[in-house]
Amino acid sequence: MKVNGSLHAPPLDPRRLLSDHLRHDLGLTGTHVGCEHGVCGCCTVLLDGEPVRSCLMLAVQAEGHEVSTVEGLAAAGAPLHPVQQAFHECQGLQCGFCTPGFLMSVVGLLAQHPDPTPEQVEEAIAGNLCRCTGYASIRRAVHRAAELSGK
Amino acid sequence: MKPPRFEYHAPSTVEEACELLGSLEDAKVLAGGQSLIPLLNFRLAQPAHLVDINRLPGLDAIYERDGGVAVQALARQAAVEDSEVAAHVCPLLTAAVRLVAHRVIRNRGTVCGSIAHADPASELPAVLLALGGHVIGRSARGDRIIDAGDLFKGVFETALAADELLVEAWFPASSGAFAIVEESRRHGDFALAGAVRASGRLALFGVAPTPVLADPANPGRGLQPSGDLEATPEFRLHLVRVLTERVFAA
Ligand SMILES: Cc1cc2nc3c(=O)[nH]c(=O)nc-3n(C[C@H](O)[C@H](O)[C@H](O)COP(=O)(O)OP(=O)(O)OC[C@H]3O[C@@H](n4cnc5c(N)ncnc54)[C@H](O)[C@@H]3O)c2cc1C
Ligand code: FES
Ligand code: FES
């Protein structure tokens, strides 16, 4: 499987979840794990460009596919990805636990709808839980991300 | 928690998948995994074998058949949501899919998986029932058509045999007036109760062990919904009346 552009062998144990494989076997701890039943959204990654829950996939299922995690958005030291930049500018995070999942969901949203309506934004982030921000700043950040990405 | 031990199979043809299901003891089909993997993670399901159907070719079509729309086993809920054929032939299906979970879940979850899973609070089994659709079960013994009215047997229980793969669900056109409404505590949650109208037919979900057809003039008759932390049986019966009014006002 390809993870952020580089090839990796899948794990030997088929019961390894994709989320655990990313974190424990590949050291990509930016993908967070909250609930392991699809509800919180903080484990969201892109599978062939579409956001999916990495806690609801076996790692072996990603064989032959491309996975992108939050680490793949911008290289260390490089300018932030437009979605990251927007969350930074709009204070779309406080503790940051939920943030990787929001970022990947929003990258997926903007790929599908580069100029999303407020309803599309709500719909896209409704599956991600944040205990800190109260969502208003996240909503603003998504619209800002669309602006920055359009430039 | 983490999944229990199981043996993993990833067949590359439908025939091979059916053979595996026919020969293995205690095997489960893995489709989108959006219901099954949580059950494994919490060890509420501990099958000895998983037969992953995600690598089966040519099983993800959404196409017009016999005046309705046929949805194959690997058609993701998101693909059905975006399908022009579905929107044109059976807009009720499009409306219902949008109520299932969140887009990110729908990117993996399948329509056929929702039906095979038969969660009593799930939208899609009720839509299949309201429209009078069917599914096709395939096994080494051949294909068989199971009508929606004969499919749902109990909580998480269908008439599909252990060796049968649900290869296709068929939804008749929603030609007359249609509506689906539900009440849930949070957006994207399973419904406390819901109602589907297809012309004069009414199906309810979340209020019995399976989706049920009901009399629009007296929708609560004979129902004994269960109570839980989110809703009492009385509240669910109240919702049945209110939601029925709403679908017939739509
Ligand atoms: C956060 C969250 C919210 C959700 N909210 C809703 C909701 O509001 N409404 C709703 O209806 N659902 C909801 N779901 C469930 C989701 O829609 C699932 O995708 C769906 O129930 C199962 O489809 P799947 O393809 O993921 O099946 P899987 O999880 O892979 O399988 C589910 C069951 O069906 C069997 N199965 C699957 N496909 C076949 C087949 N082709 N032949 C034979 N057996 C098969 C499996 O063996 C298993 O027992 C939610 C899930 C999550 C994680
Ligand atoms: S850890 Fe995957 S959705 Fe919560
Ligand atoms: S910033 Fe703390 S959970 Fe979202």
Side-chain angles (χ1 to χ4, degrees):
Chain A
M1 74 175 88
K2 259 193 175 167
V3 180
N4 299 332
S6 48
L7 273 173
H8 293 275
L12 294 175
D13 189 351
R15 59 182 179 146
R16 195 69 153 161
L17 298 173
L18 179 59
S19 46
D20 288 337
H21 181 58
L22 293 170
R23 291 176 55 82
H24 301 304
D25 304 333
L26 305 183
L28 296 170
T29 53
T31 298
H32 289 171
V33 170
C35 69
E36 290 187 335
H37 61 283
V39 171
C40 74
C42 69
C43 68
T44 305
V45 300
L46 303 184
L47 181 76
D48 299 329
E50 283 196 336
V52 299
R53 301 285 199 246
S54 62
C55 73
L56 298 188
M57 259 187 88
L58 305 173
V60 287
Q61 295 189 285
E63 203 183 335
H65 295 276
E66 255 192 85
V67 178
S68 318
T69 69
V70 67
E71 287 91 345
L73 290 183
L80 292 177
H81 183 280
V83 178
Q84 290 173 313
Q85 181 64 32
F87 271 67
H88 172 68
E89 282 179 21
C90 302
Q91 296 185 354
L93 65 148
Q94 286 178 30
C95 79
F97 190 82
C98 67
T99 314
F102 272 97
L103 295 177
M104 301 320 278
S105 299
V106 173
V107 170
L109 164 73
L110 296 182
Q112 207 198 354
H113 303 288
D115 190 15
T117 62
E119 292 73 35
Q120 286 168 334
V121 169
E122 297 257 305
E123 179 68 30
I125 60 172
N128 293 71
L129 300 181
C130 175
R131 306 304 304 268
C132 302
T133 62
Y135 303 103
S137 58
I138 293 183
R139 223 185 268 142
R140 270 198 303 279
V142 181
H143 288 289
R144 177 72 182 138
E147 256 172 53
L148 289 174
S149 308
K151 276 188 190 152
Chain B
M1 274 170 66
K2 308 296 172 190
R5 259 176 228 293
F6 52 79
E7 207 171 312
Y8 176 76
H9 308 264
S12 51
T13 65
V14 175
E15 294 67 40
E16 202 189 320
C18 290
E19 258 167 48
L20 284 168
L21 289 175
S23 60
L24 297 172
E25 275 292 313
D26 189 22
K28 273 233 167 265
V29 172
L30 174 61
Q34 304 300 289
S35 293
L36 185 52
I37 306 244
L39 291 175
L40 295 174
N41 286 352
F42 285 93
R43 304 211 173 179
L44 295 169
Q46 313 210 358
H49 300 271
L50 280 191
V51 177
D52 183 353
I53 61 171
N54 285 277
R55 299 196 188 265
L56 301 183
L59 203 59
D60 62 355
I62 303 162
Y63 65 101
E64 207 168 332
R65 165 162 79 74
D66 304 326
V69 58
V71 179
Q72 291 186 323
L74 283 177
R76 309 288 166 184
Q77 292 152 357
V80 174
E81 181 181 3
D82 297 343
S83 156
E84 282 174 23
V85 176
H88 179 68
V89 179
C90 190
L92 170 58
L93 176 59
T94 310
V97 166
R98 292 208 172 112
L99 297 177
V100 177
H102 307 283
R103 179 77 186 192
V104 177
I105 307 286
R106 297 196 293 269
N107 278 341
R108 284 297 288 173
T110 64
V111 165
C112 288
S114 284
I115 290 167
H117 189 56
D119 190 305
S122 176
E123 293 83 1
L124 300 177
V127 167
L128 194 76
L129 184 65
L131 287 166
H134 66 237
V135 299
I136 302 178
R138 181 168 300 169
S139 67
R141 296 169 286 135
D143 278 7
R144 98 183 148 115
I145 289 184
I146 309 171
D147 287 321
D150 301 324
L151 181 62
F152 303 106
K153 293 295 180 198
V155 179
F156 304 125
E157 213 186 306
T158 68
L160 283 166
D163 66 342
E164 269 178 323
L165 184 66
L166 197 174
V167 285
E168 187 168 302
W170 178 75
F171 297 85
S174 52
S175 35
F178 68 85
I180 176 164
V181 293
E182 63 180 36
E183 201 55 46
S184 57
R185 291 285 181 203
R186 287 167 301 256
H187 177 89
D189 275 12
F190 276 101
L192 302 176
V196 187
R197 170 193 182 187
S199 297
R201 276 160 71 100
L202 172 69
L204 304 171
F205 53 100
V207 292
T210 66
V212 286
L213 288 172
D215 174 6
N218 188 359
R221 186 169 57 209
L223 284 183
Q224 289 183 308
S226 57
D228 52 35
L229 285 175
E230 297 199 305
T232 60
E234 295 72 34
F235 182 50
R236 284 200 162 88
L237 281 175
H238 169 74
L239 286 176
V240 162
R241 284 189 294 274
V242 174
L243 296 174
T244 299
E245 267 174 39
R246 281 191 205 155
V247 285
F248 281 93

